[in-house]
Amino acid sequence: MATISPVSDRPHKAAKRYIYAWGGGTAEGDATMRDLLGGKGAGLAEMTNAGLPVPPGFTITTEACNDYFASGEQLPDGLWDDVLTAVKEVEQLTGKGFGDAANPLLVSVRSGAKFSMPGMMDTVLNLGLNERTLQGLIALTGNERFGWDAYRRFIQMFGRIVMDVPGEQFDHALDAKKHARGAKQDTDLTADDLRALGDEFKAIVREATGRDFPADAYEQLDLAIKAVFRSWFGKRAMDYRNSQKIAHDLGTAVNVVTMVFGNMGDDSGTGVAFTRDPNTGENTLFGEYLTNAQGEDVVAGIRTAPKIAQMQTDMPEVYAEFQRIGQQLESHYRDVQDLEFTIERGKLYMLQTRSAKRTAAAAVRIAVDMVDEGLISKEEAIARIEPAHVDQLLRATFDPAALKGATKIVNGLNASPGAAVGRAVFDADTAVEWVDKGEKVILVRIETSPDDFHGMAVAQGIITARGGATSHAAVVARQIGKPCVAGSADLLVDYAGKQAHCNVTGTEFKEGDWVSLDGSAGALYLGQLPTVEARFEDQPELQKVLGWADGIRRMQVWTNADKPEEAAQARSYGAQGIGLCRTEHMFREGERLEIVRGAILVANEATRAKAKAAAGEQLSADEQDAITTFDVAMSKLEALQQGDFEGIFEAMDGLPVVVRLIDPPLHEFLPNLEEQLVKVTRAESAGGASEEDKVLLATIKSMHEQNPMLGLRGCRLGLMIPDFVKVQTRAILNAQIAVVKAGGNPIAKIMIPLVGHVNELARTRELLEAEAKAVREAAGGVEVDYKFGTMIEVPRGALTADEIAKEASFFSFGTNDLTQMTFGFSRDDAEGGFLLKYVEDKILPVNPFQTLDDAIADLMRIAVEKGRGARPDLEVGICGEHGGDPESIAKCERIGLDYVSCSPFRVPVARLAAAQATLAARASLAERDK
Ligand code: ADP
Ligand code: MG
Ligand code: MG
């Protein structure tokens, strides 16, 4: 038996070494060479090196593919000579001859890029067959039927894949033949039938291409290699790479592999198997196999394949060997493998190995098991689980049993995971109306826009006919944690008729019909399917993994929560503090809005009057009234807020709670200007509006701002109307006092929003400290403390962080505002409008409100450096929505933040992502030290 030249000195005629071969127990490549050999080639080499039975062959490198295109779709000079040499070696190893009529060598030609990729050229099997070599094959195997079957398969595959003959033409001919012979399955056709079919196939090729089917084995090989290369830039492959952000210059390798035959009788077969169940993660061989079949039969589902366990009965020895090999490969790669194999007359051959794709549940279970088995470290386990897996495990799902019998209406893009059930409605207003009546709804739209937000917010889930993964519906749904299916192109929505139907299945539904939406799989079903709630408490394996993550991560994970229930929820998910408690979020509930409105309407007047009184001036009765009205409303508010804070401090006992003082522009709490104007105008023309309504209108007008997001809000509000600061400070400290008295441990951090100049912060601080001092003095011996800090969300604030740090003991990056102010985008206008187009047209790589933009991250880094320069123990976190986004969390790690804060249901995801960020940072440090 011949041996293959060692790696270093394979002689080559081409300018570069383009070929790596394997066979006879050794390989020139190995698993580390995926860039050059592609995943498949590297796997075949590695399996050979591991002593596993792999039929001999060789890989033509990805570099050859790139050079093929560089030289205008020509094989690089000398490459063909090198291919011929490699074929010779395979001939020697197998003792067969390529194109040899007496003892023919047949090969498969398989594409294989670095990443397994749909859209690349399909594999051509049985290459090297022609009328002459076929006779040799028949003579050697003594099996005429097998020979003709192999031949007709080859013409069919080569014709379709390499010569671009429409595949249906072959399928029709095959079906017609089966029909004519009364054959149920392909295997029922006789040798004569198959021979006749081969002739028909050749005629089809001639008809479709105007040339004869190539008989010469070397010509077949040449055409097949070039077809693999060309498929790299095929439309499907390009689209896939674009969608997955895979570079277009990686190129594909070509693998030429000696054929082994699974279709040589009942002692032969072929199959696909996973070393563990990719759905559940269970540690048992999982897969399918077929006797007397070739590889593509299993994948294409030509016959229904039995479970791999059947092989244990059919061929116990081969099964045992396969099981052993599976285990060997799994421990070798230290990951679950997805395997392809063929059995030729009782002998097992391995044809592919790769890391298996898996569901979220399987990913977690496998990681935990492998750590327990000592196969991988906790760090590796953490690195392998995707943040999206954790997210999925916390969403409701449909009961799989119910799903089986359900009527599917349409498929779509799985834009936001989870299961939702509700009655179909076709516009946002109806959604709100129905929900107000106590109904659950699914919002069905052709596409959504910011005008639909109120409907999306109340719906159980959203489905759209148009738009992709970054469409408005998808982006918003992910943000608010609602299941969403986008881009269901086959769904024809009739707004006027309030109904919709699927173009393909014809299934229809109308307003009010129950539908079930699967955002994880991307499908809509008729009726109310039972869901299974995903309870964190019931997922010990997930908790175990996150516990490991906690042991690894450097940053803490806090949460954004405004209510005690949210805080408690987040704490059960593992939150280590509240990074953002938005006081004003409690202003809208129940009777509160009326109280708040009452205060706001007289706020300016009362504040002016108070200043006058403080300067010793006489007040008018009206002024006196304004003060009284204002103070009464504010003290009601204070009492309510104190109650809220007590609840939150109790829920977060012993953990830090960052309370942000009032932030939004006041008009958000007042009636809408246009509506009030219409009301007054109508009333006037109908005989006269009430005085109250007219005053209200005048006040709303006086408070109207052109750009409220850049107007009187944040710390500016507290400086103009100091009572807001005072009242909220009192509410916070008195809540602390009450909780301490009850034996609790409230840890308060008071945060001032929207600071751009240090003086804004210094003034606010004076105000706040004076008030705090008064409360403490009145506390009667109960000691409470708080930390004073600020949000960094105005670019000027970030750039002057050294000055600001002198007044603040902590920073929290409000990256929503920081992003909109640094880009100069209004988020509300941008996200619903041009921003989607920007992302689609690649003007921006991603939506910067979803993933922290690098320039914003840079601004944060500057602020951290300056801030810590002035105050080394400055505590720094992030409370913008980016705090729950894994990619952004990685950036926060690099900037050196102390914690990330995110919405409660993102906390588990953030725990994992923060650990992964720590691991990545460690790896890049190690890289630098090298
Ligand atoms: P894919 O990337 O689509 O999995 P493959 O190249 O792995 O494509 O091959 C498709 C099918 O053909 C698989 O079932 C594989 O096992 C089978 N196959 C590939 N090469 C050979 C070969 N030399 N002998 C027998 N079967 C083969
Ligand atoms: Mg394969
Ligand atoms: Mg803000």
Side-chain angles (χ1 to χ4, degrees):
M1 203 169 251
T3 48
I4 281 170
S5 355
V7 178
S8 50
D9 63 355
R10 163 177 282 277
H12 47 89
K13 287 247 172 72
K16 288 180 201 159
R17 175 175 180 181
Y18 288 122
I19 290 186
Y20 289 77
W22 69 84
T26 54
E28 296 171 351
D30 62 46
T32 63
M33 298 167 68
R34 286 183 52 159
D35 285 340
L36 199 58
L37 304 182
K40 208 175 276 169
L44 289 164
E46 189 78 3
M47 286 196 290
T48 305
N49 285 329
L52 302 184
V54 178
F58 57 92
T59 302
I60 307 171
T61 63
T62 55
E63 209 173 15
C65 173
N66 288 331
D67 292 349
Y68 170 81
F69 285 105
S71 47
E73 307 203 14
Q74 297 281 325
L75 292 188
D77 281 347
L79 174 56
W80 184 246
D81 296 314
D82 295 337
V83 167
L84 295 180
T85 308
V87 170
K88 279 239 152 48
E89 288 172 3
V90 175
E91 289 179 329
Q92 282 164 3
L93 282 165
T94 56
K96 298 177 177 185
F98 194 52
D100 178 350
N103 186 13
L105 166 68
L106 303 185
V107 297
S108 64
V109 176
R110 316 166 68 185
S111 61
K114 177 173 183 183
F115 306 105
S116 99
M117 243 178 60
M120 293 300 303
M121 196 192 85
D122 290 340
T123 293
V124 178
L125 299 175
N126 302 342
L127 190 134
L129 271 183
N130 54 37
E131 300 271 351
R132 289 173 51 249
T133 54
L134 170 61
Q135 291 312 321
L137 188 67
I138 291 174
L140 282 171
T141 57
N143 187 338
E144 198 178 348
R145 189 194 174 282
F146 159 73
W148 286 108
D149 189 44
Y151 190 40
R152 68 92 193 167
R153 281 171 191 269
F154 173 56
I155 301 168
Q156 187 174 359
M157 275 196 199
F158 192 94
R160 175 174 62 83
I161 298 166
V162 179
M163 302 179 81
D164 292 327
V165 180
E168 313 85 75
Q169 298 193 11
F170 299 114
D171 297 340
H172 290 157
L174 176 61
D175 286 344
K177 181 68 74 198
K178 274 164 49 182
H179 189 74
R181 291 284 172 273
K184 281 210 184 66
Q185 295 189 316
D186 295 5
T187 41
D188 297 335
L189 293 174
T190 64
D192 281 341
D193 297 335
L194 294 164
R195 175 211 299 250
L197 200 57
D199 286 338
E200 287 173 34
F201 282 0
K202 278 198 259 184
I204 290 173
V205 169
R206 205 174 306 120
E207 176 73 17
T209 65
R211 60 158 292 180
D212 280 333
F213 187 81
D216 181 66
Y218 288 97
E219 188 188 356
Q220 293 170 359
L221 184 59
D222 173 68
L223 291 171
I225 292 171
K226 289 174 182 161
V228 172
F229 285 160
R230 274 199 308 274
S231 73
W232 177 253
F233 284 115
K235 184 172 168 358
R236 270 212 309 153
M238 296 269 286
D239 288 349
Y240 181 78
R241 289 199 296 272
N242 284 337
S243 75
Q244 300 295 308
K245 300 192 182 125
I246 296 176
H248 292 296
D249 61 1
L250 297 176
T252 178
V254 183
N255 300 288
V256 179
V257 187
T258 303
M259 278 305 298
V260 287
F261 299 99
N263 51 343
M264 285 179 85
D266 288 337
D267 59 350
S268 302
T270 186
V272 179
F274 296 80
T275 53
R276 301 187 192 211
D277 187 330
N279 295 312
T280 64
E282 194 188 337
N283 190 356
T284 157
L285 210 50
F286 176 98
E288 294 172 329
Y289 105 117
L290 276 177
T291 46
N292 200 11
Q294 261 190 350
E296 79 281 11
D297 295 350
V298 176
V299 186
I302 292 185
R303 280 185 274 152
T304 316
K307 300 254 176 301
I308 192 134
Q310 177 65 31
M311 191 171 139
Q312 192 162 17
T313 322
D314 298 348
M315 303 180 212
E317 277 160 41
V318 181
Y319 184 78
E321 186 189 2
F322 181 66
Q323 217 169 14
R324 190 184 52 68
I325 288 177
Q327 275 161 12
Q328 181 184 342
L329 283 169
E330 197 183 87
S331 4
H332 183 73
Y333 283 101
R334 303 165 64 251
D335 198 5
V336 178
Q337 297 297 296
D338 169 352
L339 305 169
E340 290 174 11
F341 63 95
T342 283
I343 303 149
E344 179 179 311
R345 293 207 265 211
K347 176 156 175 33
L348 175 66
Y349 291 95
M350 298 303 299
L351 292 170
Q352 188 168 337
T353 188
R354 63 182 159 198
S355 280
K357 297 226 167 28
R358 62 206 77 176
T359 62
V364 170
R365 165 138 188 212
I366 289 167
V368 168
D369 285 353
M370 286 192 163
V371 170
D372 289 348
E373 291 160 24
L375 196 58
I376 58 174
S377 66
K378 290 174 184 166
E379 284 76 7
E380 283 170 297
I382 292 298
R384 279 183 194 174
I385 295 169
E386 292 167 30
H389 285 152
V390 176
D391 193 24
Q392 265 174 34
L393 289 174
L394 297 172
R395 304 292 181 101
T397 51
F398 285 114
D399 176 357
L403 220 46
K404 281 210 178 94
T407 311
K408 188 186 280 180
I409 302 169
V410 74
N411 280 323
L413 208 75
N414 50 346
S416 176
V421 180
R423 308 177 81 150
V425 294
F426 294 90
D427 66 278
D429 291 340
T430 312
V432 172
E433 248 169 63
W434 287 41
V435 170
D436 283 346
K437 286 188 300 193
E439 296 284 355
K440 289 186 165 165
V441 303
I442 301 284
L443 181 61
V444 183
R445 299 287 296 166
I446 296 172
E447 57 195 340
T448 62
S449 75
D451 295 339
D452 300 313
F453 182 81
H454 56 298
M456 300 173 74
V458 299
Q460 300 295 308
I462 300 117
I463 178 164
T464 62
R466 271 195 226 133
T470 55
S471 63
H472 177 266
V475 169
V476 173
R478 280 196 295 268
Q479 234 152 52
I480 59 181
K482 301 260 161 139
C484 174
V485 176
S488 305
D490 294 326
L491 189 67
L492 301 184
V493 180
D494 169 11
Y495 285 147
K498 298 191 177 184
Q499 57 183 13
H501 75 272
C502 174
N503 209 1
V504 180
T505 60
T507 316
E508 54 186 10
F509 60 96
K510 52 185 190 327
E511 185 177 88
D513 287 349
W514 284 95
V515 289
S516 298
L517 181 92
D518 188 341
S520 307
L524 183 72
Y525 297 88
L526 273 187
Q528 282 175 277
L529 298 183
T531 56
V532 185
E533 276 309 314
R535 285 160 43 95
F536 192 55
E537 307 86 272
D538 298 343
Q539 303 189 54
E541 283 163 342
L542 177 59
Q543 300 208 25
K544 199 169 189 179
V545 165
L546 294 182
W548 295 337
D550 296 345
I552 292 169
R553 64 189 159 86
R554 182 189 62 75
M555 289 190 295
Q556 293 207 338
V557 175
W558 296 13
T559 192
N560 298 350
D562 309 324
K563 295 180 189 155
E565 314 87 81
E566 286 173 7
Q569 166 85 287
R571 196 169 184 170
S572 77
Y573 282 164
Q576 296 165 286
I578 289 185
L580 178 64
C581 173
R582 286 159 289 204
T583 48
E584 71 274 0
H585 271 212
M586 302 186 248
F587 284 6
R588 294 179 179 280
E589 307 219 322
E591 23 142 36
R592 296 178 181 201
L593 191 57
E594 277 313 305
I595 300 173
V596 173
R597 249 180 214 175
I600 291 174
L601 288 172
V602 290
N604 286 323
E605 200 186 342
T607 305
R608 269 195 307 274
K610 284 188 183 190
K612 231 169 133 183
E617 287 177 46
Q618 199 65 38
L619 297 188
S620 70
D622 275 357
E623 287 169 330
Q624 200 62 62
D625 270 0
I627 292 182
T628 314
T629 313
F630 182 65
D631 284 350
V632 167
M634 289 297 267
S635 68
K636 277 191 202 160
L637 196 61
E638 182 183 330
L640 289 168
Q641 286 229 297
Q642 184 181 324
D644 294 334
F645 294 139
E646 282 173 28
I648 286 179
F649 286 132
E650 278 159 11
M652 295 305 283
D653 193 60
L655 296 178
V657 176
V658 176
V659 181
R660 178 183 70 183
L661 299 194
I662 186 169
D663 178 58
L666 294 181
H667 76 82
E668 283 194 11
F669 306 105
L670 295 179
N672 179 281
L673 172 60
E674 275 107 58
E675 279 167 21
Q676 189 64 19
L677 190 63
V678 170
K679 186 175 177 192
V680 170
T681 317
R682 286 227 176 101
E684 286 293 351
S685 55
S690 74
E691 196 54 31
E692 204 185 320
D693 271 336
K694 283 197 269 188
V695 172
L696 183 59
L697 177 62
T699 315
I700 300 173
K701 265 191 185 155
S702 75
M703 297 179 93
H704 178 74
E705 294 177 303
Q706 277 321 324
N707 294 302
M709 289 314 276
L710 298 174
L712 185 65
R713 59 175 284 233
C715 63
R716 305 159 199 169
L717 204 53
L719 290 168
M720 294 302 112
I721 306 169
D723 278 291
F724 277 121
V725 174
K726 294 185 191 170
V727 162
Q728 292 199 306
T729 304
R730 283 203 298 272
I732 295 166
L733 269 77
N734 282 321
Q736 276 187 292
I737 291 168
V739 173
V740 169
K741 278 187 180 155
N745 178 18
I747 303 178
K749 293 168 181 265
I750 303 179
M751 179 160 80
I752 309 303
L754 225 68
V755 169
H757 194 288
V758 64
N759 291 349
E760 292 176 307
L761 190 62
R763 288 285 170 84
T764 307
R765 186 175 168 183
E766 277 168 32
L767 249 170
L768 190 146
E769 280 181 354
E771 205 61 29
K773 188 157 170 270
V775 176
R776 280 159 147 177
E777 278 168 10
V782 182
E783 290 285 327
V784 289
D785 199 9
Y786 66 91
K787 288 264 185 307
F788 180 80
T790 184
M791 281 181 94
I792 298 290
E793 53 185 340
V794 175
R796 193 186 184 284
L799 292 169
T800 56
D802 45 349
E803 293 169 23
I804 289 177
K806 293 195 182 118
E807 299 288 335
S809 74
F810 66 90
F811 284 176
S812 178
F813 286 105
T815 46
N816 298 350
D817 265 313
L818 192 59
T819 300
Q820 73 172 350
M821 295 202 206
T822 304
F823 269 100
F825 292 163
S826 140
R827 178 177 186 174
D828 293 339
D829 299 323
E831 268 198 325
F834 62 87
L835 199 49
L836 292 178
K837 191 90 176 89
Y838 263 34
V839 176
E840 248 171 55
D841 294 352
K842 303 206 166 53
I843 295 171
L844 287 179
V846 288
N847 175 352
F849 292 104
Q850 235 167 39
T851 298
L852 202 53
D853 174 71
D854 282 330
I856 313 286
D858 230 27
L859 194 54
M860 290 166 68
R861 189 182 45 73
I862 292 170
V864 171
E865 280 167 10
K866 288 193 158 198
R868 291 216 175 112
R871 185 193 282 263
D873 65 347
L874 183 77
E875 180 183 73
V876 190
I878 178 175
C879 63
E881 274 164 74
H882 301 98
D885 168 62
E887 225 178 291
S888 308
I889 290 173
K891 294 184 184 182
C892 292
E893 170 71 34
R894 292 201 283 274
I895 301 167
L897 300 196
D898 297 307
Y899 66 86
V900 296
S901 185
C902 55
S903 61
F905 71 92
R906 294 296 294 179
V907 166
V909 176
R911 286 166 68 191
L912 178 79
Q916 292 182 334
T918 301
L919 292 175
R922 271 192 216 156
S924 78
L925 264 184
E927 187 64 27
R928 206 169 53 197
D929 288 348
K930 254 200 272 171

